[in-house]
Amino acid sequence: MSFKAVVKGVGSYLPEKVVTNADLSERVDTSDEWIRERTGITQRFIASENELTSDLAVGAARRAMEQAGLGPDDIDLVIVATATPDLTFPATAAIVQAKLGIRQGAAFDIHAVCTGFVYALSTAEKFLASGQHKQALVIGAETFSRILDWEDRTTCVLFGDGAGAFVLSAEPADQADGKGIISSCLRCDGSMVDLLHVDGGVSSTQTAGHLRMQGNKVFREAVNRISSAMMEAADAAGIAPAEIDIFVPHQANQRIIDGVVKKLGISKDRVISTIAQHGNTSAASIPLAFDTALQEGRIKSGDLVMLEGMGGGLTWGAALLRY
Ligand code: ACO
């Protein structure tokens, strides 16, 4: 029997503390105008000292499970996409599994930075399609505030903390009503580490390190790579990008989103943008934006939704689903 991975629940979670552009301009040489014009960001949420990535992940997961009407005994796969794990090991997914009271199945992390949620979703789809797992919790969760150099104005103004989660169920393809993940495209070019990386790690410095980015060089790579991944995902499904009902991009920069939308001829009223409120929350940004759009009634049952991400690696990718 073939199975489709159908989205049954979506949830998100944000820390309480809001940091505005004006707050940041008191700390580094920047301005609300520069940040808004170059990125579209007006504020971001920052985790409190005792709030870990797993706590944000659990907050989002609980809401997604509640919406799906599922409890801890129903979930047999937990995947957390994160570049900011609680500990070097075990995986944050294992910690999340324990905090949620899930005692069966598999749990592991996926590390593809800002493309993490697309990688995780595509991976979960393959586990569910195989019939070996039945209900997956796929979470994007980050505390990027912990790896920012708060003296570096070129990076510290861009990122925020948060989490978002999907519950996916394996449904027999002939009973799924066309719903579920339809196609995905995952890519990596590891030759551009210098453009975007963290300058520390277990094996190299034994420290967590700080994020370093040559933003303008990454920017130049973004629109073409994202567009080509979206084209591949659309081609695999036999549709044109202009046919998608809703576009939920990774929220890195409003100008990148606008460039992709223009290149692929997607109508602007179909684009979800939460970058103004959330900033770039890396692997959390897509499910956070998706949940925000659901709460606003902008995504409806049966909609064809395209997701895309690009980030450290460089990694990039896209996924197409019917909600
Ligand atoms: N406030 C004021 N001025 C600033 C700031 C700031 N916060 N940051 C940089 N500047 C200055 C620079 O010093 C430079 O000044 P100069 O002209 O005197 O040298 C000027 O602004 C322009 O800098 P650029 O870097 O060229 O600005 P750009 O228009 O490229 O915008 C940005 C920078 C927002 C980072 C953009 O390049 C971008 O969004 N890049 C892509 C980021 C991305 O998508 N990353 C992937 C995902 S993240 C992940 O995977 C972890």
Side-chain angles (χ1 to χ4, degrees), residues 90-228:
T92 302
I95 298 167
V96 169
Q97 191 216 41
K99 286 183 177 175
L100 289 170
I102 300 168
R103 292 288 176 269
Q104 63 286 324
F108 57 89
D109 287 358
I110 280 196
H111 189 341
V113 203
C114 297
T115 322
F117 192 76
V118 176
Y119 267 62
L121 207 59
S122 176
T123 304
E125 190 274 329
K126 287 161 182 66
F127 274 70
L128 296 178
S130 76
Q132 276 194 298
H133 293 259
K134 301 292 176 219
Q135 326 262 20
L137 193 49
V138 180
I139 306 167
E142 303 280 16
T143 47
F144 253 55
S145 58
R146 308 267 157 76
I147 53 164
L148 295 176
D149 175 351
W150 288 99
E151 307 295 316
D152 175 10
R153 68 174 183 171
T154 69
T155 52
C156 76
V157 302
L158 303 174
F159 297 92
D161 301 333
F166 281 13
V167 170
L168 298 170
S169 289
E171 294 208 346
D174 57 0
Q175 293 166 34
D177 206 17
K179 292 184 179 175
I181 297 172
I182 300 166
S183 59
S184 59
C185 168
L186 306 181
R187 295 288 177 265
C188 177
D189 180 344
S191 69
M192 287 179 281
V193 174
D194 285 352
L195 298 196
L196 176 53
H197 66 281
V198 167
D199 63 3
V202 180
S203 184
S204 53
T205 61
Q206 296 84 58
T207 61
H210 290 117
L211 184 146
R212 305 293 174 207
M213 178 163 72
Q214 298 177 43
N216 47 9
K217 291 193 179 156
V218 176
F219 191 95
R220 270 184 244 138
E221 300 290 333
V223 174
N224 283 343
R225 287 175 196 270
I226 291 167
S227 304
S228 80

Side-chain angles (χ1 to χ4, degrees), residues 30 34 38 113-114 153 196 215-216 252-253 255-256 310-312:
T30 191
W34 190 96
R38 300 282 175 138
V113 203
C114 297
R153 68 174 183 171
L196 176 53
N216 47 9
N253 188 315
R255 290 187 290 144
I256 295 175
M310 177 176 165

Side-chain angles (χ1 to χ4, degrees), residues 298-318:
R298 292 191 60 198
I299 301 178
K300 293 175 214 58
S301 179
D303 276 352
L304 196 55
V305 187
M306 178 72 85
L307 317 176
E308 62 79 2
M310 177 176 165
L314 295 179
T315 54
W316 64 101

